[in-house]
Amino acid sequence: MLNKLRKAIDEKGCAIGTFLGVSTPPIVEILGYTGMDFVIIDTEHGPYDTMPACDLIRAADGMGMSPIVRVAGVTHKEIQRAVDNGAEGIIIPCLRETEEFRKAVDLCKFPPVGNRGFLKARGSGFGNAEWAQGSLEEFMSRSNEKALLLPQCETMEALENIEEIVNIDGIDGIFIGPFDLSISMGIPGQFDAPQFRQAVARVLKACKDAGKLCMIFSTSVEAAKGYRQEGFDAVANSIDTLMFKKVYQDMMEEIRDWQPST
Ligand code: 3PY
Ligand code: MG
């Protein structure tokens, strides 16, 4: 199987990963020793241009983790560079109109599904990877398998049309952004509100019914466990920026508050 995220989901039921907002390649290598399945390189909010993102993709690949890139928008430059450089999943934020989801397919997938621009770039070992051999038709079809298109559902407009969106050919799954979705619904951060729970259940059901993947961001291990229980295919828990602070803060408090015996 060409895609490590899909392989992890097939083998484990639920893949577990995290967002990278400030990490460098050696940090990604350290994460690789935790057994993490994927990392999301956040070029929407993080300070990563194309080459640093490429270095993080390489580091994740080297540790057997699936490199997923959150791009900043549904534009040719954003999506083409991410897929060409070897992203195994493309997450696109803040989409509203169903037409924007169709445009994402057009940019991310080769014909006959979309109209991605052709080059055997880094993601295919510049055409030298074993899977990139064979006819051009085979290359395009395998490339479509390798790079999953996982646009976000995080606006009311997307939520209202989610059943139609998940059935668009070329969309491999949906990534729920709880913060933006709850803000868009007028209930910011109220993840336990019945209205919000119903929205999440609706997206999950739509994905399951259409045979598409459903992923979500969580901010605590308890929430992540809940999403696993509900049947999510993948959970991205927390962000490196938050985790660094938490781990070192816990360490500081424990050492500082401990009283040496006199
Ligand atoms: C959100 O919660 O809005 C996100 O995009 C998380 O990734
Ligand atoms: Mg968001």
Side-chain angles (χ1 to χ4, degrees):
M1 189 173 284
L2 275 176
N3 186 284
K4 295 190 283 303
L5 174 61
R6 216 186 255 289
K7 186 163 181 285
I9 293 169
D10 280 2
E11 287 174 359
K12 304 176 187 177
C14 182
I16 303 164
T18 197
F19 269 91
L20 305 181
V22 290
S23 288
T24 55
I27 303 275
V28 174
E29 288 171 341
I30 294 169
L31 289 180
Y33 291 104
T34 67
M36 197 173 274
D37 300 305
F38 65 95
V39 288
I40 302 173
I41 300 156
D42 192 3
T43 70
E44 180 196 11
H45 297 296
Y48 306 123
D49 289 325
T50 309
M51 192 56 101
C54 193
D55 290 339
L56 295 170
I57 289 173
R58 190 180 294 113
D61 270 333
M63 296 304 293
M65 292 185 291
S66 192
I68 311 296
V69 172
R70 174 157 70 180
V71 298
V74 61
T75 66
H76 183 92
K77 180 176 170 183
E78 289 288 323
I79 295 178
Q80 184 81 49
R81 287 191 183 197
V83 285
D84 279 358
N85 284 312
E88 290 191 351
I90 303 294
I91 294 180
I92 311 173
C94 298
L95 301 185
R96 293 179 190 278
E97 306 306 323
T98 307
E99 238 1 83
E100 294 178 288
F101 287 83
R102 291 188 201 283
K103 184 174 175 199
V105 172
D106 207 52
L107 293 171
C108 187
K109 301 287 183 176
F110 281 118
V113 186
N115 286 297
R116 172 177 164 183
F118 172 77
L119 182 74
K120 289 189 173 178
R122 198 208 146 259
S124 66
F126 305 95
N128 295 292
E130 207 178 311
W131 67 265
Q133 308 307 311
S135 70
L136 201 46
E137 280 81 3
E138 283 165 338
F139 174 77
M140 292 194 292
S141 152
R142 289 179 193 149
S143 298
N144 285 353
E145 254 177 69
K146 189 168 191 300
L148 301 177
L149 179 57
L150 307 161
Q152 289 195 249
C153 178
E154 57 177 0
T155 62
M156 276 296 280
E157 293 90 330
L159 179 65
E160 273 157 16
N161 295 306
I162 196 66
E163 289 78 12
E164 182 186 350
I165 289 166
V166 292
N167 279 295
I168 296 172
D169 191 23
I171 289 188
D172 297 293
I174 293 291
F175 187 99
I176 300 177
F179 280 95
D180 281 308
L181 182 58
S182 64
I183 292 167
S184 177
M185 293 172 73
I187 45 171
Q190 295 176 36
F191 303 142
D192 292 328
Q195 201 187 338
F196 186 76
R197 299 298 314 148
Q198 279 163 19
V200 169
R202 177 175 172 181
V203 180
L204 181 61
K205 180 174 186 314
C207 289
K208 297 275 176 205
D209 288 351
K212 303 291 174 77
L213 302 175
C214 199
M215 305 173 66
I216 192 161
F217 174 65
S218 64
T219 50
S220 71
V221 290
E222 283 317 310
K225 287 180 198 167
Y227 291 133
R228 271 191 73 184
Q229 184 74 38
E230 286 165 28
F232 274 86
D233 297 294
V235 180
N237 190 60
S238 202
I239 310 173
D240 53 5
T241 50
L242 300 173
M243 291 301 284
F244 284 135
K245 165 88 186 314
K246 182 178 174 355
V247 168
Y248 280 111
Q249 185 159 16
D250 289 352
M251 180 196 85
M252 284 303 297
E253 282 169 9
E254 209 168 309
I255 300 173
R256 204 176 37 214
D257 298 346
W258 172 76
Q259 295 301 322
S261 49
T262 49

